[in-house]
Amino acid sequence: MRSPARLSVLLLALPLLVALVGCAHYQLGTAAKPKFATLYVAPVTSDTLLPQSRALLTTQLRDAFVRDGRVALADTADTAEAVLRVNLTG
């Protein structure tokens, strides 16, 4: 007959084991490599009444891609493999 102490240890260890198995392949963020190596971030356009948001958002988008490091930013659309265009509406 099993002792109550062994049974309680088993019951406590089982959820931990299930949690570890479930998280075995989890990755924080995205590890996928984009299909392009260079990106041009076009200046943001806006149909809203907040014209100052265009420059701010353009800068934040460029900074985010620089921090990410998976693509290099191009200076012109002609030299880039991909172009990101954003238009704010509202």
Side-chain angles (χ1 to χ4, degrees), residues 47-66:
D47 299 334
T48 67
L49 298 175
L50 300 169
Q52 67 275 18
S53 63
R54 295 180 302 199
L56 178 64
L57 186 55
T58 301
T59 301
Q60 289 180 341
L61 283 169
R62 291 181 63 84
D63 289 347
F65 282 106
V66 168

Side-chain angles (χ1 to χ4, degrees), residues 26-89:
Y26 180 77
Q27 290 181 337
L28 184 61
T30 178
K33 185 176 180 185
K35 296 181 180 182
F36 50 90
T38 57
L39 174 69
Y40 174 68
V41 179
V44 173
T45 58
S46 177
D47 299 334
T48 67
L49 298 175
L50 300 169
Q52 67 275 18
S53 63
R54 295 180 302 199
L56 178 64
L57 186 55
T58 301
T59 301
Q60 289 180 341
L61 283 169
R62 291 181 63 84
D63 289 347
F65 282 106
V66 168
R67 276 192 311 273
D68 183 77
R70 289 182 290 154
V71 295
L73 294 182
D75 294 328
T76 64
D78 295 335
T79 60
E81 295 177 21
V83 177
L84 175 64
R85 290 184 174 90
V86 176
N87 182 42
L88 301 177
T89 60

